[in-house]
Amino acid sequence: LGLVVAATGAVLHLLLLAADSAGGLAELRSPADLALALDTRAGRLTLAILAVLALAAAASRWPRLRPLAILALLATAVISAARGHSGTSGHGWAVPADALHLAAAAIWIGALVHLVRVVYAAPEDRRETLAYGIRRYASLAIVTVLVAIAAGLVTALAQFGSPEELLETSYGQTLLVKGALIGAALAVALAARTRALGLPWPEWGLLRRIGIFELASAAVALLLLALLVGS
């Protein structure tokens, strides 16, 4: 499902790039017009993302090749960082920092989606075992979120010439809103999860509500990320 969503987003990105080159969506007459996107740097990098996603999909079908699929997905984070604002910032450290930011966020959100699915589907006789897994997720989430935040701050430095631009530009204002949202989500999730997991028998209703809240916050953060790239 994740690969299908990623590939769909990449194809839509190519469509928008082609429409931009053609002068609007109405000017695109056939699928061949998507080649207009390949005249742009972003279009060629998006095509590379599609190729790497195809490699990941093929490798994931065989257990022995699944590490190759993981490497391919990490490569998409690097290509995505190079395609975005970090790749045109003129700072050599911006792309690695942004790639680390994207990879850490992807690991966190992917694990969170899996957590929500498992918590909702957990049978009564497996909950003691699953509680151990949830605690492991909480440890993973702390590390990946902290890495994502630190790398995101480094990435943001490449976009500002002065501290005032954080308040005066649309990019800076969106970044502040995104940071506030993530901070609030983490504070609530940490407090509630500590309460839920601190009991001898985890409070599953509370864990479900926490998971949904955290996932919704992550989804809004992804939307703000798209706005940041656009601005």
Side-chain angles (χ1 to χ4, degrees), residues 131-143:
Y132 171 75
I134 292 169
R135 291 186 176 93
R136 291 289 301 273
Y137 161 76
S139 300
L140 172 71
I142 288 294
V143 174

Side-chain angles (χ1 to χ4, degrees), residues 52-80:
V52 176
L53 288 174
L55 174 62
S60 65
R61 293 178 61 85
W62 291 278
R64 291 184 178 180
L65 293 180
R66 282 177 186 161
L68 178 59
I70 295 173
L71 290 175
L73 292 175
L74 290 174
T76 63
V78 177
I79 300 171
S80 296

Side-chain angles (χ1 to χ4, degrees), residues 110-125:
L112 176 58
V113 170
H114 187 61
L115 171 72
V116 171
R117 289 181 63 244
V118 169
V119 168
Y120 268 86
E124 293 288 340
D125 60 347

Side-chain angles (χ1 to χ4, degrees), residues 37-208:
L38 302 183
D39 293 333
T40 67
R41 176 179 177 276
R44 292 189 291 272
L45 288 174
T46 302
L47 187 64
I49 288 175
L50 280 169
V52 176
L53 288 174
L55 174 62
S60 65
R61 293 178 61 85
W62 291 278
R64 291 184 178 180
L65 293 180
R66 282 177 186 161
L68 178 59
I70 295 173
L71 290 175
L73 292 175
L74 290 174
T76 63
V78 177
I79 300 171
S80 296
R83 182 185 65 181
H85 49 283
S86 296
T88 57
S89 68
H91 298 283
W93 44 264
V95 170
D98 199 16
L100 181 61
H101 173 68
L102 294 174
I107 292 170
W108 165 45
I109 294 172
L112 176 58
V113 170
H114 187 61
L115 171 72
V116 171
R117 289 181 63 244
V118 169
V119 168
Y120 268 86
E124 293 288 340
D125 60 347
R126 295 294 304 277
R127 287 186 172 180
E128 185 174 353
T129 302
L130 290 172
Y132 171 75
I134 292 169
R135 291 186 176 93
R136 291 289 301 273
Y137 161 76
S139 300
L140 172 71
I142 288 294
V143 174
T144 54
V145 169
L146 290 177
V147 170
I149 291 173
L153 290 173
V154 173
T155 301
L157 290 176
Q159 306 303 314
F160 299 117
S162 65
E164 292 79 12
E165 292 180 2
L166 188 62
L167 297 174
E168 295 173 353
T169 63
S170 60
Y171 181 92
Q173 292 162 3
T174 308
L175 186 65
L176 288 175
V177 173
K178 177 188 172 187
L181 177 70
I182 290 294
L186 290 177
V188 172
L190 178 62
R193 189 174 283 118
T194 300
R195 175 186 166 194
L197 293 177
L199 302 173
W201 191 262
E203 213 293 291
W204 290 92
L206 179 58
L207 282 173
R208 288 191 180 101

Side-chain angles (χ1 to χ4, degrees), residues 11-24:
V11 170
L12 291 174
H13 197 97
L14 280 177
L15 177 65
L16 292 173
L17 288 169
D20 188 57
S21 297

